[in-house]
Amino acid sequence: MLSSSIESRYDKPGSGVRSVSTVAVMCPDCRSMSPKLIHDFTTDDLICADCKTSVGDRLIDTRSAWRSTAKHSRQAEEDARLLMSASSFSLQRLTAEPSNSSVQSNSIAVKPVASVSKGVLSRALGSRTHDRAAAQRHERQERNLMRAYAEISSVCSTMDLPQIIDTTARDLYKRVDAENLHRGKNIDAIIASCIFLACRQKSLPRTFKEICALTKVPRKEIGRTFKFLKEKLGADAGPMSSDDLMTRFCANLSLLSSAQECAIMLNQMAKQRDTLAGKSPVSIAGACIYLASHLVGQPRDAKVISHVAGVSEVTIKNSYKLLFADRHQLVSESMLKAFPMASLEFLPIP
């Protein structure tokens, strides 16, 4: 620290003596009186010019705070390039010079020789805003697509469907999204319809009731959406027959192989004789299983079968009435020999 010597005398009232003060500044290292001091702004130190000793620190910089960073310079250059690209005519010269010659600064002042019209600049800024909005819209579409894929995989996994159904349903939904067919539609209904259509295309059909039980979408809405997608996508849904449902229904009802084989044979005979012509494949499968289960001594109630097949109990019993009326032609002697436990006496009277 600087050494100082101060001598002072103060006036006393009525003494007639004048005050005298003496102040001397001395470097503590070289003992130089009234040394030449230098303010180092990089370290905020006060340095003696004679011996280079720091005699003061933590000084306050009283100069104007001029800030110029590399970020500001890059922003200025970006603005200059924007002006050049926005102009309908080429700018002849861009000059960059310090904004204040008395202070060292890297700030750039851009001076175009030809002025850019406000309309041109507005169009350029509008184009940038449009690109940003397009990027955000694309990101939102990708996010919605990933969410739909996750929902399709969840439903397929719950229904124990093979991977080929999951992949096909995803491809169908991607086409729906690309052609913007889901506008104004229920997304859950779109997902359910894509899964239903994929099952039909890969010959692993599922009923509307099975799909709506997991997706919580009404059956009628799935049916309408399925017809809409089938028409717009031009997809081949493939026919669904009772043969495709027979094996799965019998397995869900815990029937033995003999009852399953008997139901399949009854289904084929009913098709040949057009006994159930005009009935839906689900109704035909349910009625044949109902008759076959009683025929071979493994009876299943119509209410249980209706729950598995997804049709009403009345529908199954109405179809069974037609089969019972034609039972002597449907159940041949060869069928009775193939299943020793089978007997027409076991059939319930409708």
Side-chain angles (χ1 to χ4, degrees):
M1 298 295 294
L2 286 175
S3 298
S4 60
S5 176
I6 303 176
E7 180 182 355
S8 61
R9 286 184 301 170
Y10 299 95
D11 296 342
K12 294 182 179 180
S15 63
V17 179
R18 302 175 62 184
S19 63
V20 178
S21 298
T22 303
V23 179
V25 180
M26 181 178 62
C27 177
D29 189 37
C30 63
R31 315 299 294 180
S32 172
M33 300 298 295
S34 301
K36 183 179 180 181
L37 301 177
I38 302 175
H39 187 177
D40 188 355
F41 292 105
T42 59
T43 60
D44 291 335
D45 290 339
L46 193 63
I47 301 175
C48 176
D50 297 331
C51 61
K52 309 301 182 184
T53 301
S54 176
V55 295
D57 58 359
R58 298 183 181 178
L59 301 180
I60 299 176
D61 189 359
T62 59
R63 301 178 302 167
S64 300
W66 292 93
R67 297 182 180 179
S68 178
T69 61
K71 179 180 179 181
H72 296 162
S73 300
R74 289 194 298 269
Q75 184 63 35
E77 295 174 359
E78 178 66 21
D79 293 340
R81 285 194 293 270
L82 175 61
L83 289 173
M84 293 179 67
S85 62
S87 177
S88 58
F89 46 83
S90 60
L91 300 178
Q92 298 178 1
R93 186 177 73 239
L94 288 175
T95 60
E97 60 182 9
S99 59
N100 191 341
S101 58
S102 61
V103 181
Q104 294 182 355
S105 175
N106 292 329
S107 60
I108 296 178
V110 180
K111 296 182 179 180
V113 175
S115 61
V116 180
S117 64
K118 185 182 294 185
V120 173
L121 183 57
S122 298
R123 286 194 296 272
L125 296 178
S127 177
R128 173 180 288 186
T129 304
H130 176 74
D131 294 341
R132 188 183 300 111
Q136 292 176 354
R137 184 167 57 253
H138 178 71
E139 181 181 356
R140 185 168 57 253
Q141 290 176 350
E142 289 294 328
R143 186 168 56 252
N144 293 337
L145 195 63
M146 292 299 104
R147 187 180 298 113
Y149 283 173
E151 182 66 21
I152 290 174
S153 298
S154 176
V155 174
C156 291
S157 177
T158 305
M159 297 182 66
D160 198 19
L161 294 173
Q163 182 62 33
I164 186 64
I165 301 298
D166 189 351
T167 304
T168 305
R170 289 188 180 197
D171 293 340
L172 290 171
Y173 188 88
K174 188 174 183 180
R175 290 181 58 189
V176 171
D177 183 73
E179 299 181 19
N180 202 21
L181 297 177
H182 54 357
R183 174 172 294 182
K185 300 290 183 180
N186 187 350
I187 298 300
D188 292 335
I190 293 289
I191 293 175
S193 300
C194 288
I195 297 175
F196 183 82
L197 184 57
C199 292
R200 293 280 293 270
Q201 288 182 342
K202 299 304 177 181
S203 300
L204 295 171
R206 294 295 185 269
T207 63
F208 283 124
K209 183 177 180 180
E210 292 176 294
I211 300 295
C212 70
L214 295 177
T215 58
K216 307 301 181 183
V217 181
R219 183 187 306 182
K220 291 183 178 180
E221 188 171 358
I222 295 179
R224 288 194 301 266
T225 308
F226 166 70
K227 292 180 180 178
F228 172 77
L229 295 183
K230 181 181 177 182
E231 178 183 355
K232 294 297 182 180
L233 297 178
D236 182 15
M240 182 176 68
S241 65
S242 54
D243 296 333
D244 301 325
L245 306 173
M246 198 73 67
T247 302
R248 184 159 51 86
F249 287 173
C250 290
N252 293 337
L253 291 168
S254 301
L255 290 173
L256 298 179
S257 58
S258 58
Q260 179 177 336
E261 294 174 0
C262 182
I264 294 175
M265 295 176 64
L266 285 173
N267 180 44
Q268 294 175 351
M269 291 295 297
K271 286 183 179 180
Q272 293 178 4
R273 296 183 55 81
D274 291 334
T275 305
L276 298 177
K279 299 292 184 179
S280 67
V282 180
S283 301
I284 295 173
C288 290
I289 292 174
Y290 181 73
L291 190 150
S293 64
H294 285 82
L295 183 66
V296 297
Q298 303 175 32
R300 295 294 185 271
D301 189 69
K303 186 176 181 179
V304 177
I305 298 176
S306 68
H307 179 74
V308 172
V311 294
S312 65
E313 182 180 355
V314 175
T315 302
I316 292 179
K317 287 187 175 181
N318 288 337
S319 299
Y320 171 73
K321 287 181 182 180
L322 300 177
L323 295 177
F324 184 82
D326 200 25
R327 62 187 182 280
H328 295 290
Q329 285 72 27
L330 294 175
V331 182
S332 60
E333 293 295 333
S334 60
M335 183 182 298
L336 293 176
K337 291 180 180 179
F339 304 100
M341 299 297 296
S343 175
L344 291 175
E345 296 179 358
F346 295 156
L347 298 180
I349 300 175

